Amino acid sequence: MRQGSHGPIGVFDSGVGGLTVLKALMTRLPHESTLYLGDTARVPYGTKSGEVVTRYSLKNAQFLLERGIKLLVVACNTASAVALPALSSALPVPVLGVIAPGARAALQRTKGGGVGVIGTPGTIKSGAYQRELQAAEPHVRVKARACPLFVPLAEEGWTVGEVPHLVAREYLADFAREGVDTLVLGCTHYPLLKGVIAEVVGPSMALVDSAEATAEAVAELLTQRELLAPEGSPTTHGYYVTDVPERFVEVGARFLGRPIPSAEQVDLSF
């Protein structure tokens, strides 16, 4: 069921990380209602096959579509890398992932043509950001690195201090030496560590937050399709999870930057 401009924006992720995308959407589009689905029963997606991730993604999308969304944001980097074509073909509403907006923003920011991409092992191994960057600009130089420890640090709230600084320095100290002037935060957890990442790479390196770039892409698409909610429209924000919601509500508040009043557990098993 579609509700035109009055329908909510649907967002799904495998867990809490996509809440940074939701936060960016709420900031950029404060008049829009949203529905967020975290597939916490099957997190992480990065260790699963493309076929399985696509199947989960289609199920998530159908759940949100049945609740009247007018646009779908795939906030999971892994699902964006492998499931976007299937979702775009199957859904009657626009579908946006987080990879293309982040890559476009990086190409707009780089001055010397050296772009770094950091993400989970699954995202980096997929090569999705590398392909997106080089398809748009064949001469761009891309340095990609997996930073797996950033995810547990973000979820545990270890985002400042000596421990995250040492980890970030281990991962990122050589980026500037290799001619990288723009760094894509290619995981939805990484915005929580933006401060410590910026300290390590220095002020001359531009940081591209894929969440913010995605929110800007959503705003542009809604404007083009004349689907923006009218100013002054009442807004609602709903949260669904596929496992018990207590940890999602607790940890998710750090990612969203505001309390999550409650989340409803739903069964998407098949």
Side-chain angles (χ1 to χ4, degrees):
M1 178 181 65
R2 295 184 64 180
Q3 297 180 8
S5 63
H6 293 281
I9 297 169
V11 182
F12 82 77
D13 181 35
S14 58
V16 298
L19 290 168
T20 59
V21 178
L22 184 63
K23 178 182 179 180
L25 286 168
M26 289 177 168
T27 300
R28 178 64 181 82
L29 296 162
H31 302 292
E32 299 291 342
S33 294
T34 63
L35 292 178
Y36 183 92
L37 171 62
D39 191 9
T40 47
R42 294 187 282 236
V43 67
Y45 280 10
T47 58
K48 297 175 173 63
S49 70
E51 179 185 1
V52 167
V53 171
T54 298
R55 192 164 74 243
Y56 290 173
S57 298
L58 288 167
K59 192 73 173 179
N60 296 339
Q62 184 60 37
F63 174 85
L64 292 168
L65 192 67
E66 289 170 357
R67 281 147 187 84
I69 63 169
K70 62 183 178 184
L71 179 145
L72 177 68
V73 177
V74 183
C76 173
N77 279 270
T78 301
S80 292
V82 302
L84 220 56
L87 289 165
S88 297
S89 297
L91 269 62
V93 299
V95 180
L96 285 175
V98 291
I99 292 173
R104 283 198 302 270
L107 291 173
Q108 291 167 358
R109 298 287 295 277
T110 183
K111 295 180 174 65
V115 175
V117 179
I118 55 175
T120 64
T123 296
I124 298 303
K125 186 178 179 182
S126 77
Y129 275 100
Q130 298 94 306
R131 286 194 302 273
E132 193 73 37
L133 286 161
Q134 288 168 336
E137 177 47 71
H139 301 296
V140 70
R141 290 174 287 105
V142 183
K143 178 180 177 63
R145 176 166 294 159
C147 302
L149 289 179
F150 280 168
V151 168
L153 285 172
E155 293 203 358
E156 292 301 322
W158 288 35
T159 56
V160 295
E162 183 180 6
V163 172
H165 193 276
L166 287 171
V167 173
R169 192 166 64 195
E170 184 70 24
Y171 286 144
L172 305 174
D174 62 335
F175 270 63
R177 292 197 300 269
E178 298 192 18
V180 171
D181 67 5
T182 303
L183 183 64
V184 180
L185 307 183
C187 172
T188 52
H189 284 67
Y190 294 2
L192 274 72
L193 292 150
K194 190 185 291 186
V196 75
I197 290 170
E199 288 176 15
V200 168
V201 300
S204 62
M205 190 176 300
L207 299 187
V208 172
D209 184 341
S210 291
E212 293 175 356
T214 300
E216 192 59 45
V218 169
E220 291 173 7
L221 185 55
L222 290 178
T223 301
Q224 292 168 3
R225 301 285 183 95
E226 298 184 345
L227 287 173
L228 284 169
E231 288 194 20
S233 299
T235 58
T236 59
H237 303 288
Y239 305 90
Y240 300 94
V241 292
T242 54
D243 201 353
V244 290
E246 285 77 15
R247 177 166 170 79
F248 174 86
V249 169
E250 176 191 349
V251 176
R254 289 201 294 270
F255 285 73
L256 191 60
R258 66 177 76 181
I260 297 174
S262 63
E264 180 182 343
Q265 185 176 348
V266 295
D267 183 3
L268 299 185
S269 59
F270 54 94

